[in-house]
Amino acid sequence: MSSKEKLLLLVLACVNFTHIMDFMILMPLGPQLIDIFDINTQQFGFLVATYGVSAAISGFTLAFFADRFDRKKVLLFAYIGFVVGTFACAISPTFAILISARTITGLFGGMIGSQVLSIVADAFPYERRASAMGIIMMAFSFASVIGVPGGLYLATKFNWHAPFFTVGGLGIIVMILIWLFVPNVTAHLEQKGAKQKKLEVLTNILKTPNQLWALALSVVIMLGHFSIIPYIAPSLVANIGYQEDQIFLIYLVGGLLTIFSAPIIGRIADKRGKYPIFVTFALLSCIPIFLITNLVPVPLYAVLVVSGLFFIFSNGRLIPTQAMVSGVVTPKQRGGFMAFNSSVQLMAQAIASSIGGLIIIQREDGYLDHYDWVGYYAISMILLSIFVAKKVKNIN
């Protein structure tokens, strides 16, 4: 990669870092928030889902306009709103106000991911795209290594508001980086027939089976993935007996491992094929999912091994998935399609976290029953995703 390409990916990774950290930090704060606001797991699942629902709505709306504007300007607009929403979360005094603040954050956050992926897909040809996606996905790793442990430390040292103040502060710096170092992305506007009718993005999807299969792949993966993730921390505390201040180790170890694995997996996917690598990591991810959701009291090192494998294998599925999904449309349609894809992903995340909350039953002593059922459901979604991914074909 050229230095210009590396700088672009670095800034976009910073965007993803803050965006992902804002979303991720809520999940390990689950035990604290459940106690502070005197809520149950269903209400916590609803809190997590609120962000996804509002983000899905904004992503769906953006799909009809995204390809009419410079992608940099859309990203900057969405990111400014996201930072404002994050500060609103930081000053929320009650559960009801926190839900409202998460809704605001989601409305703008729902536009960010699709624009980041659209910019990467426009800047990198399909043959090198998984490598670029691997670098972007490292933001998830750094959010796990630095963001989540740091956020949990701040929450323990001060209060749960502190992590959101920190993310908001970092967001101000990232806004400046976007303005200075992300180039204007307008090539899609210069193509013949670039200006589509407002509903054309939707009609294109409905009449193109390849695009429908790509959307189905995103939905199925999220339905499985996010049914278990929000409840990992609460189950380790309530079922296994770990202390809240030990939870950060799960994210620290997992994040460190994926910092190294993500770019390697991206390069392998470009060399060996996106679909074969996806299948490999999809099947491997079933192992730690089964172990995490059927966990019994074991030494901490054993939990870290299992969770580390979960991070590596789950991340390994997502990298080729992003490359495959971005390849089902032409550049002039990409912004709208990726926004729509982001919308259905976020809606699927919200549904998945709610499904997990509905299946799990919390006893009076806090123990979470039926988490293993959630694991079996997640594994069934992974197996289904292998079939769906086979139908997705690259056209560029």
Side-chain angles (χ1 to χ4, degrees), residues 136-207:
I136 293 296
M137 291 295 291
M138 286 176 65
F140 172 85
S141 307
F142 280 105
S144 302
V145 172
I146 302 171
V148 173
L152 286 172
Y153 173 79
L154 290 172
T156 304
K157 187 74 173 177
F158 300 100
N159 52 53
W160 69 266
H161 303 273
F164 291 103
F165 275 118
T166 303
V167 175
L170 291 173
I172 293 174
I173 297 172
V174 174
M175 281 192 295
I176 298 172
L177 294 177
I178 295 172
W179 180 262
L180 293 176
F181 299 115
V182 174
N184 296 96
V185 184
T186 58
H188 60 288
L189 299 175
E190 299 164 6
Q191 293 185 355
K192 184 178 179 181
K195 288 189 177 181
Q196 303 181 72
K197 297 177 182 178
K198 288 184 179 180
L199 295 178
E200 192 171 346
V201 61
L202 185 58
T203 56
N204 283 338
I205 291 171
L206 293 175
K207 68 183 183 182

Side-chain angles (χ1 to χ4, degrees), residues 2 83 169 182 186 194 241 270 310 320 385:
S2 67
V83 171
V182 174
T186 58
D270 280 336
F310 173 76
S385 72

